[in-house]
Amino acid sequence: GKANCMADRGCMWSETLLGCVDSPCVSHCDQTMCDGDLTSGCVGGWNDQEKTCYRKELCGGDSWTCESEEGCEWNAATTDCRKKRCHHKTEDSCLADTEEVCLWKDSETCVVMPCVNHQSQGECMLASGGDNCLWINGESRCVQDKCVHAAEMDCRGDTFCDWQTSNQSCTVRPCAEHINNRLCEADRRCHWDISASPGSCQLERCARYPSQNMCGADVGCLWEDSLCVEKTCRKITERCACQQGPTCFWSNTGGRGRCEEQAYGRCPTLDMVLVLDGSGSMSQSFGRHPNGFYAMMEMIRDWVKMLPLSNEGSQVGSNSVPAG
């Protein structure tokens, strides 16, 4: 992966090839050439014992040296130099940060989220500075409480908030506390919505029903494992119930009776091969994404969720010959 690649100073990560390649520094045969390369991060990377030029190890030295290096910051708490957090140029890479502490702000800048530096519940709740910090018990982390609106109109106008008529207060909307796709998809109530930028975690339509009776009253919903979920055709296991579904039909294809979506059920069983463009244009940024491959993968991931896949292993049909 990228982290292992960058840990080897003889290597570098190529965003164009999406792979690990040799650092340009290793092609320099003496210290003069090594220190003369001002564009590849080689200056100061000469190892006299090995007679090899390496990519200079980033983020080291005292506070003055640290602050003068691009992509580095001085951590006063630990008195050491570290890689600058949330130093990303695109929304996709910002939200995919492995520390999960980054926020895409104003559709143009990646910043560290308020409150995330507080490591305990006590520290989080006592935080000052106007950040309005909130402790999330299930995830043991401190986040900013954005729902401090006193007026109902302001609260309802905030996509992160819900107005509680019972006590006239503004609270965080269910699922809105999940800051990225991974945390969102891990919560069965939620789905990651990419219809607007930046992406956000939203409550599934049926999950708003808190009881089995309320869930059952909605023909599009199904009570499953103490949660109200969308009644997709695949979730229906009985023929008669399937035939009552307005978009469903019962299929005996392959000798296995199951409920299918009408939009796909009449199609013959087939394998799909996806071919992605490998030209230079795919290495350019695509809207919110650092390159075309990331953009395509996100689209395919959402597409696959609604396809009636057979769940067969990849070996099935592996000897078939592509046509066309």
Side-chain angles (χ1 to χ4, degrees):
K2 184 174 182 179
N4 291 333
C5 176
M6 294 303 291
D8 187 332
R9 293 170 57 208
C11 306
M12 64 176 291
W13 184 261
S14 169
E15 293 292 351
T16 302
L17 300 175
L18 295 181
C20 197
V21 299
D22 286 340
S23 165
C25 301
V26 297
S27 64
H28 302 315
C29 299
D30 58 52
Q31 186 171 357
T32 301
M33 294 176 65
C34 184
D35 289 340
D37 189 337
L38 304 178
T39 60
S40 303
C42 308
V43 180
W46 178 257
N47 186 312
D48 197 52
Q49 184 176 357
E50 299 179 19
K51 303 300 182 186
T52 304
C53 181
Y54 290 110
R55 175 173 45 81
K56 184 176 181 290
E57 189 171 0
L58 296 177
C59 305
D62 56 24
S63 60
W64 186 89
T65 305
C66 178
E67 295 292 350
S68 65
E69 287 195 54
E70 174 71 17
C72 301
E73 64 182 1
W74 182 254
N75 186 346
T78 57
T79 62
D80 64 358
C81 188
R82 68 182 180 189
K83 183 180 178 182
K84 185 176 290 185
R85 302 171 98 184
C86 305
H87 193 60
H88 303 287
K89 303 300 183 185
T90 65
E91 180 192 353
D92 193 75
S93 58
C94 180
L95 296 179
D97 187 274
T98 55
E99 285 193 78
E100 299 181 341
V101 297
C102 301
L103 173 70
W104 189 247
K105 185 178 181 181
D106 301 329
S107 299
E108 62 179 8
T109 310
C110 190
V111 298
V112 178
M113 294 177 177
C115 304
V116 296
N117 289 325
H118 305 306
Q119 302 298 313
S120 68
Q121 183 173 2
E123 184 182 346
C124 177
M125 302 307 291
L126 293 173
S128 59
D131 287 335
N132 301 309
C133 297
L134 175 69
W135 184 256
I136 305 298
N137 281 317
E139 298 170 10
S140 296
R141 61 187 178 88
C142 190
V143 299
Q144 184 182 36
D145 183 1
K146 300 180 180 180
C147 302
V148 292
H149 307 292
E152 179 179 355
M153 183 178 295
D154 293 335
C155 181
R156 293 189 182 280
D158 192 324
T159 57
F160 284 91
C161 309
D162 270 338
W163 182 256
Q164 305 299 324
T165 55
S166 59
N167 58 5
Q168 298 292 295
S169 65
C170 191
T171 61
V172 178
R173 177 172 293 179
C175 301
E177 72 271 17
H178 300 313
I179 57 178
N180 59 37
N181 181 41
R182 185 185 67 81
L183 293 172
C184 183
E185 297 290 353
D187 190 331
R188 292 177 59 224
R189 305 171 303 157
C190 313
H191 73 278
W192 188 253
D193 183 10
I194 59 171
S195 61
S197 179
S200 61
C201 192
Q202 301 292 331
L203 186 69
E204 292 280 14
R205 186 184 71 82
C206 294
R208 67 188 183 200
Y209 298 123
S211 69
Q212 186 170 358
N213 288 338
M214 295 176 69
C215 180
D218 189 322
V219 295
C221 301
L222 175 71
W223 190 257
E224 182 180 82
D225 297 330
S226 301
L227 182 68
C228 193
V229 298
E230 183 181 359
K231 185 191 287 185
T232 60
C233 296
R234 277 292 182 95
K235 290 183 178 293
I236 303 175
T237 57
E238 298 178 356
R239 176 193 290 269
C240 292
C242 176
Q243 292 174 341
Q244 292 174 2
T247 63
C248 305
F249 88 103
W250 189 259
S251 171
N252 287 308
T253 303
R256 297 179 297 173
R258 62 186 180 188
C259 197
E260 299 281 12
E261 294 280 350
Q262 290 180 0
Y264 300 103
R266 300 299 181 185
C267 298
T269 302
L270 50 82
D271 292 335
M272 292 184 298
V273 178
L274 301 179
V275 180
L276 301 183
D277 178 16
S279 66
S281 63
M282 290 290 281
S283 66
Q284 306 300 312
S285 60
F286 275 54
R288 300 161 43 222
H289 308 283
N291 57 61
F293 296 104
Y294 280 92
M296 290 297 296
M297 286 301 103
E298 184 158 306
M299 184 201 73
I300 292 170
R301 182 182 61 192
D302 279 1
W303 180 50
V304 165
K305 289 179 183 177
M306 65 181 185
L307 290 179
L309 300 178
S310 65
N311 296 320
E312 293 176 334
S314 59
Q315 292 77 17
V316 178
S318 60
N319 293 324
S320 60
V321 179

